[in-house]
Amino acid sequence: MVRINFSSSIDLIKYPLITSKTNLLFENNQYTFLVDPRLNKLSIKKAIEFLFDVKIIKINSCNLPKKKRRVGQFTGIKPRYKKVIVKLAKDNKIDLFSND
Amino acid sequence: MAPPLRTMMALCAPAALVAFVVRPNPGSSVIRAPASVPAAATSNTQKQRVGPLFAKPLAYEVTHKPAANSSIILNLDVPGETTQLCYDKAIRALSKEAGNSIPGFGNKGNKGNTKHPPEVIERHFGMEEVKGQSLKVISELVVNEAINSLDLQAIGSAELVQDISVVTQLFTPGVPMMLEVKMDVWPEVNIVKEYTGFELEVEEPPIDEPRVAAAWKGLQERNVVLEDTEEGYAAQLGDSVIANMMPFRENADGSKGEQLPNIASGDGVDIVLESGRYMPGLAEGMEGVKAGETREIRITFPDKLGPQGGDLEGTKAVFEVEAVEVMKRNVPEVNEEFAQSIREGLTLEELTTEVEKAVMEETGTSKRDTRNKAYEEALLETCSITIPETLIVEQAREKFAIMMTEFKDQGESDAKIQSMITKEAG
C-alpha cells in the first residue's frame, strides 16, 4: 500500500458528482464525490472536512468499474475513480455552486 | 474523459478550483458559503420551491401617465417576492425544456420529468437566458395583469421603454425592480364642432356607359328567341348554326393534317355567326351555309390564346364543319314588352334602374358608398384626433395583405410576391 501523506490527499479528491441521482441525495445532506481509488474512508473524511469545513458522520464508498478504451490497436483503461458518498452532520452544508 | 464527467467538472469548477488550489485555514470565508446565499442543495429552499407558485396573485404596484401619440407609460413596481417567483417559474420552464439533455440528468424512462437544481439550469443555459425567461414570465403575469386591471383600452402590444438587454442586466431574483412599459391605447376623440344635423351635397357617381351597354346586350342575348328556317335558307351573319365540327392542323401544302384534340370540336355545337366571337374568320367562313352542307374553313389561331390554348398559338388549322340546322336569332328590342317578358309586371323604367344598379355594384361605385365616404370626410372635420402608430401600422398591414392576395389571384408567382413582402418589411 502506498503511503499517502495528508497534504497530497487533498489533490486526490477529484470533483463532486452532480446527477439526478445525487441531486436527490442532497436533500439527505449527502454529497457525492469522485476520488482517487487509493484513498480510504479515513483519509477521505480528513480531506473533505478540511476542504469544506464540515463535519462528516458517515462515508459510503465504492470502486467504479473499469472502463476500457481502444486507441488504434492499443487497448487501455481509463482513469479509475472511487465514488464516495459523504453524509454531513446536521446544519453542515457544502455549496457546490458557489460563484466566489 | 467522457463528456458527462467533463461537463460536471465545468459546472462545479468555481467551488472546486478555489477549494483545491488555495489551501486555506479551516473556517476561511473564501470557501464557506455565506449564510445569506440560498443554496439549492438544502432542504429548506427545496420545500419553498415546490407547491403551487401562483395560488395567490402576484404582488405589484402600478402607476400610469399619458404619453405622446395616444400612448401611455406604465410604471411597474415589482417587489422582490414577485421577481423571485417569476424566476422560479422561469427555471421550471427551462428545466422542462432541458428534459434529459443535460449530462448526468434524466434517463430514457422519465421523459421530460427530470428535476434539476436551479444552479444546473443556470449553468446549462447561461444566466442571460434564465433572466430573459424570467422577464418573459413577468411580462406575461405582471404586465398583462396590470394592463387588464387598469381597464385601459389597449391596442397592440406593450413595449419596454428601456432596451431589453439593459433590463435583463438589472433583473436579479429576489430584488425589487422598476419596469417602464409603453403601450398604445385607443385615441380620445375631441369634438370641436357640432357633428349632427348637417346636410351634405354629394355628386352622383357617373354611370359607366360602356358597361351598361354591355349589360343590356347580355340581357338581350339571354332572351334571344330561336326561329326555325325553311330548307335552303342561307345563313347570314347574326344567325345561329347547329353544326358538327372537327378541327385539323393544316399542313404546309394546304391539306388536312392531324386532328386537333380538345378544342371546339363535337357534334351539335351551337355557333352564333358573329364576327369576333370565336376564332377570327370562322363566322365569316360560315356565312351563306345551308342546312346539310359541309364546309372546310381555314383559319389561323390568334397569337395570344387563353390558358386552354396550349401550343396552338398562331397555328393554321382547317375546320371541317357540317351544318345540321340553321336558325334565325331574333334579338328582342328593348321596350316595355321586353321588360314584361323578363318578369311579370316589370316596366322598362324599373328595368333600366335595375340594370344600372347591377353595373354599379359590379364596379363598386354605388350611390350609398359615395354618400358614406362624403359623410366620413365631413365627420372627420368635426373632431381632432391623434392616431396611434399601432393603428396605422395595423391598417397598413391589412391593406398590404389584401393587395398581396389580389396579386396572387392575378397569377403572380409566389416567389415574386415573397420578394415584395421582404422589401416592404425591410
Side-chain angles (χ1 to χ4, degrees):
Chain A
M1 162 99 194
V2 185
R3 226 182 132 73
I4 306 158
N5 64 16
F6 178 64
S7 61
S8 63
S9 71
I10 295 174
D11 288 342
L12 296 176
I13 292 177
K14 296 301 177 184
Y15 50 83
L17 192 61
I18 300 172
T19 63
S20 352
K21 213 171 191 178
T22 64
N23 190 27
L24 294 174
L25 290 177
F26 289 155
E27 288 186 33
N28 258 349
N29 217 6
Q30 284 177 315
Y31 295 83
T32 312
F33 293 87
L34 294 190
V35 303
D36 193 290
R38 287 171 297 176
L39 289 178
N40 59 19
K41 287 186 181 179
L42 283 176
S43 48
I44 291 165
K45 182 176 177 180
K46 264 188 190 170
I48 292 181
E49 284 191 339
F50 173 71
L51 276 171
F52 296 102
D53 190 22
V54 288
K55 186 165 174 7
I56 292 171
I57 55 175
K58 189 182 177 185
I59 294 187
N60 296 9
S61 71
C62 67
N63 277 312
L64 297 177
K66 281 181 189 171
K67 303 265 183 191
K68 283 187 181 172
R69 285 290 180 275
R70 209 181 64 167
V71 180
Q73 71 182 104
F74 306 103
T75 313
I77 299 170
K78 290 187 67 177
R80 297 194 61 193
Y81 291 116
K82 179 182 271 185
K83 182 165 83 176
V84 296
I85 301 170
V86 300
K87 184 164 171 72
L88 304 187
K90 212 179 171 189
D91 297 332
N92 282 256
K93 56 179 95 161
I94 299 176
D95 186 11
L96 295 178
F97 302 100
S98 172
N99 284 324
D100 298 338
Chain B
M1 186 180 288
L5 301 185
R6 198 188 304 142
T7 317
M8 283 307 104
M9 273 194 100
L11 280 174
C12 313
L17 274 182
V18 173
F20 296 130
V21 174
V22 188
R23 191 185 293 176
N25 301 320
S28 158
S29 62
V30 179
I31 296 169
R32 197 190 289 167
S36 60
V37 172
T42 57
S43 52
N44 280 346
T45 40
Q46 281 287 337
K47 253 182 203 166
Q48 193 189 322
R49 285 206 170 86
V50 288
L53 273 182
F54 302 108
K56 57 180 182 182
L58 294 172
Y60 62 89
E61 272 173 35
V62 62
T63 53
H64 64 101
K65 58 177 187 224
N69 252 351
S70 174
S71 63
I72 55 164
I73 288 181
L74 296 176
N75 277 318
L76 283 158
D77 202 347
V78 187
E81 190 192 340
T82 308
T83 53
Q84 182 66 49
L85 283 172
C86 289
Y87 168 82
D88 288 349
K89 192 166 170 77
I91 287 282
R92 276 167 153 209
L94 286 174
S95 169
K96 200 162 188 182
E97 189 188 320
N100 293 342
S101 66
I102 302 182
F105 283 90
N107 55 43
K108 282 170 191 170
N110 61 345
K111 279 176 186 163
N113 294 324
T114 314
K115 280 181 188 166
H116 307 93
E119 290 80 1
V120 169
I121 293 291
E122 276 169 18
R123 279 167 168 73
H124 183 72
F125 287 98
M127 207 53 200
E128 289 289 301
E129 172 81 22
V130 178
K131 282 182 173 182
Q133 189 76 22
S134 309
L135 277 178
K136 221 167 142 188
V137 174
I138 287 191
S139 82
E140 273 172 23
L141 294 172
V142 179
V143 178
N144 288 355
E145 180 62 32
I147 291 164
N148 290 342
S149 70
L150 285 175
D151 195 21
L152 299 166
Q153 289 183 311
I155 41 174
S157 51
E159 271 178 21
L160 285 170
V161 174
Q162 281 174 299
D163 194 55
I164 183 84
S165 57
V166 177
V167 182
T168 314
Q169 284 291 327
L170 286 172
F171 180 86
T172 320
V175 175
M177 72 184 302
M178 292 285 295
L179 275 177
E180 245 188 326
V181 177
K182 187 183 175 186
M183 67 179 312
D184 286 341
V185 288
W186 279 103
E188 246 178 56
V189 180
N190 299 320
I191 291 155
V192 288
K193 61 185 182 191
E194 192 60 36
Y195 62 89
T196 52
F198 60 85
E199 283 179 13
L200 275 181
E201 266 186 32
V202 185
E203 266 183 46
E204 209 169 283
I207 293 166
D208 196 344
E209 290 295 345
R211 289 192 82 136
V212 174
W216 273 117
K217 200 172 176 205
L219 199 59
Q220 281 169 310
E221 288 284 334
R222 278 205 296 281
N223 289 284
V224 135
V225 181
L226 291 175
E227 191 188 322
D228 287 343
T229 53
E230 296 164 16
E231 211 167 303
Y233 174 83
Q236 294 172 353
L237 280 184
D239 287 343
S240 180
V241 178
I242 296 185
N244 300 335
M245 202 151 78
M246 194 60 78
F248 297 93
R249 198 184 284 276
E250 187 183 326
N251 290 341
D253 57 353
S255 62
K256 280 192 286 188
E258 52 165 331
Q259 193 177 334
L260 289 173
N262 296 338
I263 52 141
S265 59
D267 292 346
V269 186
D270 190 0
I271 306 169
V272 179
L273 299 192
E274 197 176 314
S275 46
R277 192 163 172 137
Y278 305 110
M279 281 79 72
L282 183 68
E284 287 81 352
M286 294 279 289
E287 201 179 341
V289 81
K290 290 173 189 168
E293 191 183 334
T294 305
R295 271 193 190 181
E296 277 182 14
I297 300 163
R298 283 160 202 283
I299 63 148
T300 309
F301 282 100
D303 286 339
K304 279 189 179 170
L305 285 175
Q308 294 128 19
D311 56 347
L312 289 173
E313 292 174 2
T315 316
K316 286 187 173 179
V318 182
F319 276 78
E320 199 182 85
V321 186
E322 185 192 355
V324 179
E325 213 175 329
V326 180
M327 310 265 248
K328 264 189 186 171
R329 299 174 88 245
N330 286 336
V331 178
E333 276 180 46
V334 176
N335 50 26
E336 291 286 342
E337 208 177 302
F338 177 55
Q340 276 284 342
S341 73
I342 285 175
R343 203 162 64 230
E344 203 69 32
L346 195 72
T347 63
L348 182 60
E349 202 177 323
E350 282 168 3
L351 185 63
T352 316
T353 339
E354 264 183 35
V355 169
E356 277 173 9
K357 203 173 152 193
V359 169
M360 274 180 172
E361 264 173 25
E362 225 170 83
T363 51
T365 54
S366 73
K367 284 180 189 174
R368 184 187 288 179
D369 284 354
T370 323
R371 185 198 66 191
N372 286 357
K373 202 158 187 205
Y375 271 132
E376 252 172 49
E377 275 164 20
L379 279 173
L380 202 57
E381 280 172 18
T382 65
C383 60
S384 72
I385 187 167
T386 30
I387 314 257
E389 208 175 312
T390 318
L391 273 188
I392 297 169
V393 170
E394 216 168 80
Q395 196 75 15
R397 281 220 183 107
E398 213 168 277
K399 284 244 160 102
F400 189 68
I402 292 171
M403 210 165 86
M404 283 300 129
T405 327
E406 274 171 13
F407 273 131
K408 204 163 187 181
D409 288 346
Q410 283 165 17
E412 292 277 356
S413 67
D414 279 356
K416 199 174 172 188
I417 291 174
Q418 212 66 44
S419 72
M420 287 172 82
I421 288 172
T422 47
K423 215 185 284 172
E424 275 295 313

